[in-house]
Each structure stands twice: as C-alpha cells, then as structure tokens.
Amino acid sequence: MTSIAIIGAGPQLGLAIARTFGSRGFDVALISRNPDRLDTLVGTLAAEGISAAAFPADVLDRDALTRALKDAAVRFGGIDVLEYSPVGGFDSTVLTTPSTTEPSHVQHEMEFQLYGAIAATQAVLPAMREAGAGTLLYTTGAGSVDPVPQVGNVNTAAAALRNWVINLHKELAGTGIQAAHVAIDVSIGTSVIPGFPTAKPEEISPVYWELHTTHRDEAERVFSG
C-alpha cells in the first residue's frame, strides 16, 4: 500500500489533493489542528471509497506534529508522500509591509511555514532514505517567488521555505526522493482580491501528482491558472 500525509488538510486544496491521490489507491493521512474538520473530511473521502484517517496536530507544536506523522506511518505502513501546506488565519497572522515589519512579525510566519516544514520532513525523511524512494512537496503562495508589499512578512517566510526546499531537492538528487516547491499564483475557489485570477482546487491538485510521478526532476512548479 502507498500513502500520503497532507499537513494543513483543508476543505479546498487539501481535500482536492487527497482525492487526486486517494482515487489512485493511496491511503490518506490528514493532519491539521481542527479535529472536527478532519473528521468531516475523513467522512467525505470514505463516502467516495478513499481510505483516510485523521491525525490532529498543530504545526506550531513540533512534538505533536512529529507524533502525528509517526502515528500515520504506523497506521498505513509508512509515508510515501508528504504534502505540507498549512493555512494561517487572520486571527493569528498580522500582515505587514516590508517597511513596517518587525522581527516578531516574521518570526511567527517562520515558525508556521519553515520550521513546521523542517520538523515534518525530519519525521518522514529517514524512512524514505532507507527505502530509497519518497516524495516531499511543499506549498506557498507565489509571493515566495515574486513578493507583494502588502504581505511582506508572510512572503519573507515563504521565500525562506522555497529556498530550503529547492536546496533539499538538490541534496536529494540521485537518492530516489523527490522534493519540490509549489507556488500558487491564484486565489483558490473564490477571489479575495478583485481582479486576481482564481482556480478550482481540482485544477491545481494534478500538479502534485505530476511532481510525484512524471516530473520528478523538477524542483518547483508555479501554478498561475
């Protein structure tokens, strides 16, 4: 059996990725901080014939995140694909322009985006190295590539994650393990910025399958619709 762990499993992109892999025979481990939402998603996938299980954890709690991934590996006999795309909320994220950014504004985002990704990777990479196979996928907004002043602090952390992932891709070359960054340059589902392009989650999720299967030499994909 093969399995994918989706961190930040949300009702839009996370669910679409789960469907893309689950419909191809993957077991799906869903990880986020909201147990009730996870249970709803598991029920939705089960009704579609997809094997899924919930493992509640907050990416800011590194020990809990590691335990969730270890539990998922035990449940499904290993983790073959890791997808990291936690979504912050306006209740916890203060958006700042570059000139008004304080170190604390970046620190929270670094904890959320970069440090969480590193912890998740450390939890699954040793087994992938032993197996000589695996896929590590990480998602940010396209501001990691072309930053936007209104979200300067968020883009800073996203760019750090992007840099780390592309470097990880280089390090893992020839090991059978793929690491890649996905930058999303659209609003998912509905537009939150007038005039900004949108895309349905199911239009984006095939990118992850391609990086896992037919485009394993790519370190990055920018989705712009």
Side-chain angles (χ1 to χ4, degrees), residues 6 23-24 32 36 52 56 77 85 96 103 139-140 152-153 159 163 169 191 201 206:
I6 301 173
S23 64
R24 291 168 170 85
S32 79
D36 292 337
S85 57
T96 62
T139 305
T140 70
N153 60 320
N163 179 283
H169 176 90
S191 179

Side-chain angles (χ1 to χ4, degrees), residues 47-158:
E48 298 172 9
I50 295 172
S51 170
F55 301 89
D58 190 327
V59 299
L60 296 176
D61 184 340
R62 243 78 79 196
D63 290 339
L65 179 58
T66 298
R67 284 196 302 272
L69 286 164
K70 298 296 186 184
D71 289 345
V74 170
R75 170 71 177 269
F76 294 128
I79 299 297
D80 302 281
V81 180
L82 173 74
E83 194 282 314
Y84 186 86
S85 57
V87 178
F90 291 112
D91 58 333
S92 60
T93 300
V94 177
L95 303 179
T96 62
T97 62
S99 65
T100 61
T101 297
E102 299 288 343
S104 61
H105 296 144
V106 178
Q107 180 62 35
H108 173 78
E109 288 302 312
M110 292 290 283
E111 295 276 355
F112 190 70
Q113 297 194 60
L114 177 62
Y115 302 157
I118 291 174
T121 303
Q122 291 297 326
V124 301
L125 183 55
M128 290 183 177
R129 285 189 183 277
E130 186 175 346
T135 300
L136 303 162
L137 302 173
Y138 309 83
T139 305
T140 70
S144 60
V145 180
D146 183 14
V148 179
Q150 292 89 332
V151 288
N153 60 320
V154 174
N155 288 170
T156 298

